[in-house]
């Protein structure tokens, strides 16, 4: 897998766009968090969620079970976020969020924005300095990639002063190139 990284300035913090596997991402193993593109049950799944649970080990699933249900079988409603430790992951924390299912969730744009926003707010409340996002809803949940990239980058921009670094870790070259294009459109390019 080729490894590419681009750094853009996000006011006082840096925005880094990379290709790779988010389950392997970390900065200091202490004040860093990866965001998991989960489902409302929060008990694992495929894609990004599956990779994170596999790398974190069974303690992550046990911690997810301990997150209180807010509805029947629902631990994290669409657009909200929950935090757990990272266990065997190199990153110290996992922020679980749930993006919209495109074509099913009403007002998917607002839900996707909320998923990013609530993840960032929860990270901030937990003194996270470095945070990494996957392309939420861009896999099984079928969100159109171009619009998803615009929402992701414009939402992160609102938190420009709250983190040392915000990363996007994209799984494919296509998503990496799209995120980079959008970031260049929406932010000032520094290096
Ligand atoms: N690192 C970074 N990105 C990844 C990785 C990885 N290891 N694996 C996949 N992706 P998806 P969603 C990319 O389907 O659309 C799960 O089953 C993938 O290529 O993981 O939000 C959950 O349990 C895509 O670009 O999440 C839910 O049921 C992006 O991550 C459901 O899928 C998101 O794809 C959530 O669907």
């Amino acid at each position: 897998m080729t490894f590419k990284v681009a750094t853009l300035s996000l006011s006082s913090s840096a925005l880094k766009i990379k290709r790779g596997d988010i389950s392997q991402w970390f900065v200091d193993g202490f004040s860093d968090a990866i965001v998991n593109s989960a489902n409302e049950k929060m008990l694992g799944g495929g894609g990004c969620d599956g990779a994170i649970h596999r790398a974190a080990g069974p303690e992550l699933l046990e911690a997810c079970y301990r997150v209180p249900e807010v509805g029947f079988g629902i631990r994290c409603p669409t657009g909200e976020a929950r935090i757990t430790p990272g266990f065997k992951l190199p990153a110290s924390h996992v922020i679980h969020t749930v993006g919209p299912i495109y074509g099913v969730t009403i007002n998917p744009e607002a839900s996707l924005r909320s998923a990013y926003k609530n993840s960032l707010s929860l990270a901030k409340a937990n003194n996270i300095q470095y945070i990494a996002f996957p392309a939420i809803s861009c896999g099984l949940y079928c969100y159109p990639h171009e619009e998803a990239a615009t929402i992701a980058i414009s939402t992160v921009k609102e938190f420009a002063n709250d983190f040392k670094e915000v990363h996007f870790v994209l799984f494919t070259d296509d998503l990496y190139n799209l995120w980079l294009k959008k970031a260049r459109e929406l932010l000032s390019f520094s290096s």
Side-chain angles (χ1 to χ4, degrees):
M1 185 185 282
T2 52
F3 187 71
K4 301 173 180 172
V5 55
T7 305
L8 296 95
S9 83
L10 192 64
S11 192
S12 66
S13 53
L15 177 72
K16 295 196 178 206
I17 299 175
K18 308 177 167 186
R19 230 204 98 167
D21 175 358
I22 201 165
S23 70
Q24 301 307 308
W25 178 94
F26 74 105
V27 174
D28 63 2
F30 173 71
S31 64
D32 46 6
I34 59 170
V35 176
N36 181 16
S37 196
N39 58 58
E40 290 187 328
K41 292 188 180 117
M42 246 190 84
L43 298 177
C48 186
D49 199 2
I52 289 170
H53 274 270
R54 277 193 301 278
E59 282 171 301
L60 180 60
L61 184 59
E62 287 163 23
C64 287
Y65 268 110
R66 289 194 293 274
V67 172
E69 289 185 15
V70 293
F72 185 70
I74 295 176
R75 290 178 179 76
C76 184
T78 300
E80 295 190 14
R82 303 288 185 267
I83 192 165
T84 65
F87 301 103
K88 291 196 175 74
L89 292 169
S92 61
H93 295 82
V94 181
I95 293 176
H96 308 259
T97 192
V98 182
I101 304 174
Y102 203 79
V104 174
T105 305
I106 295 160
N107 200 349
E109 182 181 346
S111 291
L112 188 58
R113 201 170 281 285
S114 292
Y116 281 103
K117 224 176 228 181
N118 286 323
S119 298
L120 290 157
S121 298
L122 187 58
K124 194 176 157 188
N126 283 273
N127 298 315
I128 298 297
Q129 301 289 325
Y130 305 92
I131 183 167
F133 286 93
I136 299 168
S137 283
C138 287
L140 189 66
Y141 284 0
C142 297
Y143 205 103
H145 292 174
E146 181 111 18
E147 189 180 304
T150 303
I151 292 168
I153 290 155
S154 61
T155 307
V156 154
K157 197 177 164 184
E158 293 170 28
F159 289 75
N161 297 314
D162 296 323
F163 298 93
K164 286 187 180 156
E165 293 174 9
V166 178
H167 295 219
F168 285 101
V169 181
L170 289 325
F171 210 50
T172 63
D173 271 339
D174 283 354
L175 283 174
Y176 170 84
N177 289 327
L178 175 61
W179 247 251
L180 196 54
K181 180 183 85 136
K182 278 289 163 202
R184 284 182 170 135
E185 278 169 28
L186 299 170
L187 308 168
S188 58
F189 190 67
S190 76
S191 61

